[in-house]
Amino acid sequence: MRRAVLTTASTSALVVLLLTLKPHHSAGPTGGSPQTGAAAAPAPTGSTHRGATSAPPPTGSTHRGAGHGNGTHTGAPVSTKYGTVQVAISVKAGQLSAVKVLQAPSEDAHSREIAAYALPRLTQEALNVHSAHIDAVSGASYTSAGYIRSLQSALDEAGV
């Protein structure tokens, strides 16, 4: 009887401890294997991203509009496990007004299918919040992380 009480109490304490711990969100996806928890740059509050990408430092180019702000800005291409993701954005009145996907994972039919599903959702969410602080699409972790990094580099280039 005493052993059952000790086991129940210690199990309950462990469960409470595990539930109170929150995963640490990394500042950006790194490494070559998927991580549980979050990985996006910067890590959006309250979202979960699983993915690993390797990309050059965020750089982009401005096509229209002198300097920062209004115009079209191209995000850095981000290499993911399934292909490269790159976006271009349009900024009007200092806010994100359009996102165009320039490169998407397309190495195989499955990657194209996932990209076709995820990218419109990511674009719509980015346009709704006017930032890269968006949730990853379930089942498209790598593509989502790459999209978010490229989008953030374009927003940084635009100064938004």
Side-chain angles (χ1 to χ4, degrees):
M1 179 67 177
R2 183 174 169 196
R3 186 181 295 180
V5 171
L6 285 173
T7 303
T8 303
S10 62
T11 302
S12 298
L14 182 62
V15 168
V16 169
L17 178 67
L18 288 174
L19 291 175
T20 59
L21 294 177
K22 295 186 181 185
H24 294 280
H25 300 285
S26 64
T30 58
S33 62
Q35 301 172 350
T36 55
T45 305
S47 65
T48 301
H49 303 285
R50 284 182 215 129
T53 61
S54 60
T59 58
S61 59
T62 304
H63 293 290
R64 277 186 264 140
H68 296 306
N70 296 340
T72 302
H73 304 273
T74 303
V78 178
S79 296
T80 71
K81 182 177 178 179
Y82 298 105
T84 302
V85 181
Q86 184 178 25
V87 300
I89 63 168
S90 294
V91 177
K92 291 182 183 171
Q95 284 197 328
L96 180 64
S97 62
V99 179
K100 180 179 180 182
V101 178
L102 302 177
Q103 293 184 54
S106 60
E107 294 177 6
D108 57 44
H110 186 65
S111 295
R112 286 189 297 275
E113 182 181 342
I114 288 173
Y117 171 79
L119 295 173
R121 285 163 178 74
L122 292 165
T123 298
Q124 187 60 50
E125 189 171 353
L127 291 172
N128 288 343
V129 299
H130 301 288
S131 78
H133 297 275
I134 58 177
D135 291 334
V137 173
S138 179
S141 312
Y142 293 97
T143 301
S144 297
Y147 181 96
I148 291 166
R149 292 217 35 204
S150 184
L151 177 61
Q152 185 61 56
S153 73
L155 289 167
D156 291 345
E157 177 68 27
V160 177

